[in-house]
Amino acid sequence: EKKRGLRLSKYAKMWLQVAFYSVGLTLIGMLIPGHEVGRGMLIRSLFPVATGQYWYFCAYSGVFFMMPYLNALVRALDEREMCGLLLTVFGLFSCYATLAARYKDMFVLDQGYSFAWLTLLYLVGACMKRKGAAEKMSVGKLLAVFAGCVLVMWGVGVLLLPVRDAAILISYISPLVVMAAAALVICFAKLQIGPNMRGLVRSFAPAAFGVYLIHEHGVIFERLKAYCGKLAQISAVWTIPAILGSAAAVFVICLLAEKLRLILFEKLGVNDVVDRVFSKGG
């Protein structure tokens, strides 16, 4: 029971983080001239999960409450069954679903923007961890797999396929994207970093989710989209540097904003209150 309570406190902290940006950025949008934010939008921002303000957090909310049962499932599988599960997810829900996506999203995976796909990825990750995938491949091979997938996606998607099919090829459920992502996950799991860098990562890692919450909010996203439209009009020589520089700037600004939120919550004792509430509930 105590362990369950601590997990619920973690989710509650995430929910408060999401609500902070959902409501806060909506209020900021109301102050921006020319940006129409109705009363209905403000009310919806108070219920970020029920109203689908952020697809990832909505999907994660479902996965979170299923985690104990998904973990029990993976623990109950033997080696052969785990391999069968991995092959089924990759073959059926990635390869076949990608090929069929041009006609029908029969598993309702929504190109990876769904609870179903996030659940499948959780199972894959749990199986990879249990099988010790990080110990069985060299970093060189993993980087080669990643680079090969990216080159194929770029070559086939840009040079050979029409826009619609290219979009399917680079969707989250695409086998090339899945293989590239798996290679990166295993590669980073093998990464050995020093104590100084480890402290830096621990300091900023919790803020990474905040970067997503800020730049994906409608108020911010619409302005970023308009800005990217302007980037498309500049000289081709400067397009790539401008895009990379802009992405880096957005990441750093959002990261700093999230660090300020963390400091604010710490000063107000928000996390301590959450911990006390759920420790008593447990």
Side-chain angles (χ1 to χ4, degrees), residues 24 30 65 67 69 109-110 113 142 150 168 170 181 183 194 197 201 205 207-208 228 237:
M30 295 178 71
F65 290 101
M67 280 181 186
Y69 313 106
L109 298 177
D110 196 18
Y113 295 89
L142 292 168
V150 171
I168 294 172
I170 60 175
M197 183 60 69
V201 171
C228 289
V237 176

Side-chain angles (χ1 to χ4, degrees), residues 26-66:
T26 300
L27 289 174
I28 291 174
M30 295 178 71
L31 302 176
I32 299 176
H35 188 89
E36 296 184 5
V37 178
R39 191 173 298 176
M41 185 179 296
L42 181 59
I43 294 174
R44 288 196 298 273
S45 71
L46 296 170
F47 306 96
V49 177
T51 57
Q53 292 289 306
Y54 296 98
W55 80 264
Y56 177 79
F57 186 64
C58 293
Y60 174 80
S61 296
V63 174
F64 177 86
F65 290 101
M66 290 295 295

Side-chain angles (χ1 to χ4, degrees), residues 7 63 66-68 70-71 74 117-127:
R7 289 181 61 82
V63 174
M66 290 295 295
M67 280 181 186
L70 297 174
N71 292 337
V74 173
W117 182 246
L118 208 61
T119 301
L120 293 172
L121 290 185
Y122 184 87
L123 288 171
V124 169
C127 289

Side-chain angles (χ1 to χ4, degrees), residues 153-206:
M153 281 188 287
W154 180 84
V156 176
V158 173
L159 302 178
L160 300 179
L161 293 179
V163 174
R164 179 183 176 184
D165 291 339
I168 294 172
L169 187 68
I170 60 175
S171 74
Y172 285 155
I173 69 171
S174 165
L176 292 170
V177 173
V178 171
M179 288 190 294
L184 280 185
V185 168
I186 299 172
C187 192
F188 279 104
K190 296 171 70 69
L191 188 64
Q192 300 293 327
I193 58 177
N196 293 333
M197 183 60 69
R198 193 178 300 120
L200 185 65
V201 171
R202 286 176 178 171
S203 175
F204 282 96

Side-chain angles (χ1 to χ4, degrees), residues 259-275:
K259 288 298 289 183
L260 291 175
R261 184 204 64 83
L262 288 170
I263 294 172
L264 175 64
F265 273 37
E266 183 179 352
K267 295 293 185 182
L268 296 176
V270 173
N271 292 337
D272 292 335
V273 171
V274 172
D275 288 335

Side-chain angles (χ1 to χ4, degrees), residues 21-27 29 35 41 45 53-54 212-222:
Y21 287 116
S22 179
V23 175
L25 292 174
T26 300
L27 289 174
H35 188 89
M41 185 179 296
S45 71
Q53 292 289 306
Y54 296 98
Y212 161 76
L213 295 176
I214 296 170
H215 87 271
E216 276 292 311
H217 191 280
V219 171
I220 306 298
F221 186 79
E222 289 301 319

Side-chain angles (χ1 to χ4, degrees), residues 1-11 64 67-68 71 75 122 278-279 281-282:
E1 291 295 329
K2 186 176 180 181
K3 182 178 179 183
R4 178 68 173 175
L6 289 174
R7 289 181 61 82
L8 286 174
S9 70
K10 177 183 177 182
Y11 177 80
F64 177 86
M67 280 181 186
N71 292 337
R75 287 194 298 268
Y122 184 87
F278 283 96
S279 63

